[in-house]
Structure formats: C-alpha cells, structure tokens
Amino acid sequence: MQKNTPRREYGLSRERIIDEAIALLDISGESGLTFRSLAGRLDTGAGAIYWHVANKNDLMVAACDAVLARALVVPVADNAPQDAIRALALALFDAIDERPWLGEVLTRMPLQSPMLRILEPLGQQVRAMGVAEPQQFAVASALLNYILGVSVQNAANAQIGRQLGGDRAVLLGAVADAWTALDAAAYPFTRSIAGQLREHDDRADYLAGINLILRGIAP
Amino acid sequence: MQKNTPRREYGLSRERIIDEAIALLDISGESGLTFRSLAGRLDTGAGAIYWHVANKNDLMVAACDAVLARALVVPVADNAPQDAIRALALALFDAIDERPWLGEVLTRMPLQSPMLRILEPLGQQVRAMGVAEPQQFAVASALLNYILGVSVQNAANAQIGRQLGGDRAVLLGAVADAWTALDAAAYPFTRSIAGQLREHDDRADYLAGINLILRGIAP
DNA sequence: ACCTGAACACCGTTCAAGT
DNA sequence: ACCTGAACACCGTTCAAGT
C-alpha cells in the first residue's frame, strides 16, 4: 500500500508544462496562453507553474525551442549546399505556416538558443558554399534575417486571416481591393501589383527570395 | 466674454493623442504606453481617448504611420535605382535604430498603410531597375522582408541592451561569450563566428545583405 | 459632441501557508 | 521539495452620467 499516492497520474514537470503550453498556443495563439488557462489544463494552481518555469518569457522560449527542435530535422544529406539551404528554409516556412505563434514569438527573441537552431545549420551551408571566413557572419545573418522577415509577415497575415474568418483567398482579395482603391498618384506601384497579390503563391515567392540571395552570394 | 472656455489650452484631438503616444513610446517603449499613462499626459480620463481612437491597435498603427511618414522622406533624386533603394533601406534602419518600438510594432502589422510607405517606393525602384512585370511583386517583397527581418532583430537586440544597462559592446560581448561556450560538436559554425559578432557593424552588415539581394536581381 | 471616472473582466507574478 | 490559492498591482475597454 503506497503512502504517497501522487495527486495526479503524472506530477508536474517542465516538459509537461511546455507540452501543454504548446497545445494551448496551437489552439488559440499567443493570447490564449495564460498562466490561468495553463494551470487549468494541468489541473493545478497558477502559482505552481513558477516552480518549474521562471516566467512567461522563459516559457515562450522553451516552447519555441521544443517546436523548432522537432521541425528542423532536415535530412541535410550531401547535396549542394544551396539545396540544403532551400530545404532548411522551407522547413521553417512550413513550421511557421502551421503554427503562426511561432513566427510572432521568434521575432522577439534575441540570438538565443532557438534562433541558433536556425543560424547554425544555415552557417554550415554558407561555409560549404565557399564564402570567405570574414564574410560568413554577414552572409548567414542576411539569410536568417530574410527568413525571419517572411516568417513575421506570414504570421501577421495568418493572424488577420483568423480574425476575418479563415479564408486566405478572401483575405488576399480584401487587401488587393484596398490596394486598388489607393490614390493613383501616390501609390502607382502598389496599385499595379494588386493583381499579383491576389494570385501569388507565398511559398513560391519566399523561395524566389532565397534564390535571389543565393545568386547574390555565388553569381 | 466667452461662454465656452475650453478646459485645456488645446482640446483633445487625434493628432495630439498620437503625438503624446509617440513621446511615451520613445521614453519607455511599447510597455510604457498605456491608456492610463497617456491620459495622464493628456490631462484627461482614460475613457476620453476612445472618442478619438478606436483601440490600442489603431493607436499603434497611427503612431507608426506618423513616424514613418517623417522618416522616409528620402531625396530619391534621379540616381541609379540601386542607390535609391540603399538610401531608403538605410533611412528605415536609422529610424528603427532610433525608435526600437517601431521595429517591434511594424512586424505585427499587415500590409496596411504604414507598410505601404515602405513597399511603394521600394517597388518603384524595382520597376526602375527593369525587373519584368510578373516578378515585380516577388522581388519587392523579398526586399521588404529582408528589411523587416533586420528591423526585428535590431529591435530585439535594443530591447535586451536596455535591460542589460545600455552598453551595446557589453551586450554583444555577453552573447559572443555564450556562443563560445556552446558545445563544439553541435555548434561549430556559431562558435567560429563569435569573434565576428563581437566586432561586427550592424549597419554595414545590413547594407551587405541589401547588396547581396541587389546583385541577385541584376547580376 | 465630447469628456469623466468608476467598473468590468482580465493579466503576470508573488508569497504565506500547507503537505 | 513541491504545491495551493488568495492577493497585488497592473492592463484594455465599456458605459452611465455629466457638460
């Protein structure tokens, strides 16, 4: 007969907290993750979480890190470095497409652990491309910055898409209509590409940008 | 003898609200702008602000828009389009360097008014470079995404820099030290460029990235 | 038409008290 | 060592009531 029957099937742990946090983020985005809602899912009090996690920022970083660790297991193989970079970039694109909160949070993060999960493999391939040592940092961070920029934009669009009811085509259509209604003298370019916006493919344009940079590195 | 002496020298107006909001953001960042602190500066009640502004998001968008309108008055002249793009990109870099909250907020913004202040002139120059019509959207947004990515990263660094006491060299040194302490097997690249991080010039690397993309557009 | 300020429904975080 | 849950010091937003 046990004396110390645990109150729950599994005791509270950092891992369980992070997993439930990710689940909550997936369900209702960043605003849906609160210590109260999280405590509810974990069947405990809000304060208990602080025993395993320093604060909300710590929790967000850990959640990003856990998700990225799983998402970025790309078979690097021994293809051309350019192909490896493309594969890596697309893996991140898809991960953020699936979890918009990831894009939103990544951008607020400094060059800490989760960011290094992207920078490191990117840099290894930049080196493999034969970029000279002194330029390796600038080139790798140019790639990282482009990737982050798209992530952000993607996450923001997904956010609005959700507010508008979810249909991506409806969202793009609405933006394109707004662009068409702009003042012709002040916004000639934006007006002229409203049509391209309506038909464009996020993922393809993203890859086109990557290729632009790759061509700039090794013309 | 006036019957309606205004209670304040200037009545509340959208412009005055936005100006004070910007002042508050400059002083203490995004977390420093609250309806209560803003009402205090405007010598009114928190609820009064809602007569002129829909909500906090509306206020943030308006603040970004006002700041960008002033910051992006770049003499486009009739130089080479590449030069105009570089000038524009640097103007934005400096604006965000001066006001880190701008970078933070811009990233959450969809393709609305403030973003178009950047996309439009960028696109005009892309067109001037002779990029074919069907690719103009992809090319212009590649530039925009890169610029946003850097902004974000810059804003995040500034944020941490402020927490650490302000000295940029100290911050970079701390990050570089952390990189050097990483596991050699898992992070060979990051370790090897820790030195470059310590000495690098944000603005120069940013420009290097722009040049990479420009070279990719027109080799 | 515009402003007031109390009230509402939340937050993250802390901490004495329990087991 | 770990958990509880009330309490603290905030938020954005609303709204009856005033002028």
Side-chain angles (χ1 to χ4, degrees), chain B residues 103-143:
Chain B
E104 222 168 313
V105 178
L106 263 183
T107 66
R108 263 181 274 127
M109 235 144 41
L111 294 167
Q112 276 177 7
S113 156
M115 216 62 119
L116 295 184
R117 287 191 189 276
I118 310 170
L119 183 64
E120 174 65 34
L122 228 38
Q124 288 180 13
Q125 298 304 324
V126 165
R127 186 183 280 172
M129 281 179 75
V131 171
E133 177 86 40
Q135 280 96 55
Q136 285 177 5
F137 177 77
V139 169
S141 53
L143 276 166

Side-chain angles (χ1 to χ4, degrees), chain B residues 133-155:
Chain B
E133 177 86 40
Q135 280 96 55
Q136 285 177 5
F137 177 77
V139 169
S141 53
L143 276 166
L144 178 66
N145 283 324
Y146 172 73
I147 288 173
L148 282 181
V150 177
S151 308
V152 168
Q153 205 54 34
N154 229 40

Side-chain angles (χ1 to χ4, degrees), chain A:
Chain A
M1 213 187 279
Q2 301 181 253
K3 278 184 181 168
N4 287 326
T5 319
R7 221 158 309 173
R8 287 171 224 84
E9 194 169 355
Y10 308 102
L12 218 47
S13 71
R14 198 164 209 273
E15 285 70 38
R16 225 163 73 79
I17 291 173
I18 293 166
D19 283 347
E20 292 296 341
I22 292 171
L24 224 32
L25 286 165
D26 285 345
I27 292 170
S28 44
E30 208 185 336
S31 69
L33 174 61
T34 71
F35 278 81
R36 282 169 182 80
S37 64
L38 187 54
R41 278 181 81 95
L42 290 164
D43 193 26
T44 181
I49 299 168
Y50 281 86
W51 188 264
H52 303 273
V53 148
N55 50 41
K56 186 158 188 185
N57 188 60
D58 180 32
L59 182 58
M60 297 302 289
V61 171
C64 282
D65 208 46
V67 166
L68 281 184
R70 289 172 219 155
L72 294 184
V73 201
V74 190
V76 180
D78 22 37
N79 295 328
Q82 279 91 339
D83 290 331
I85 289 176
R86 276 186 276 262
L88 193 67
L90 286 178
L92 190 64
F93 182 92
D94 292 334
I96 293 173
D97 195 50
E98 205 183 330
R99 311 179 125 104
W101 59 267
L102 188 58
E104 222 168 313
V105 177
L106 263 183
T107 66
R108 262 181 275 125
M109 236 145 40
L111 296 167
Q112 276 176 8
S113 156
M115 217 61 120
L116 295 184
R117 288 191 188 274
I118 310 169
L119 183 63
E120 174 66 34
L122 228 38
Q124 288 180 12
Q125 299 304 323
V126 165
R127 186 184 279 170
M129 281 179 76
V131 172
E133 177 87 40
Q135 280 96 54
Q136 285 176 5
F137 177 77
V139 169
S141 53
L143 277 166
L144 178 65
N145 283 323
Y146 172 73
I147 288 172
L148 282 180
V150 176
S151 309
V152 169
Q153 205 54 35
N154 230 40
N157 287 343
Q159 168 76 6
I160 304 161
R162 223 174 305 131
Q163 284 167 5
L164 256 73
D167 194 341
R168 220 190 88 85
V170 173
L171 164 67
L172 283 184
V175 176
D177 287 346
W179 284 13
T180 311
L182 287 169
D183 177 56
Y187 291 95
F189 175 75
T190 306
R191 276 173 59 101
S192 77
I193 56 163
Q196 292 182 45
L197 174 70
R198 204 179 258 106
E199 299 158 16
H200 90 131
D201 177 343
D202 276 337
R203 208 165 181 270
D205 282 359
Y206 172 61
L207 204 52
I210 296 277
N211 287 334
L212 230 45
I213 299 178
L214 289 177
R215 205 183 315 143
I217 298 174

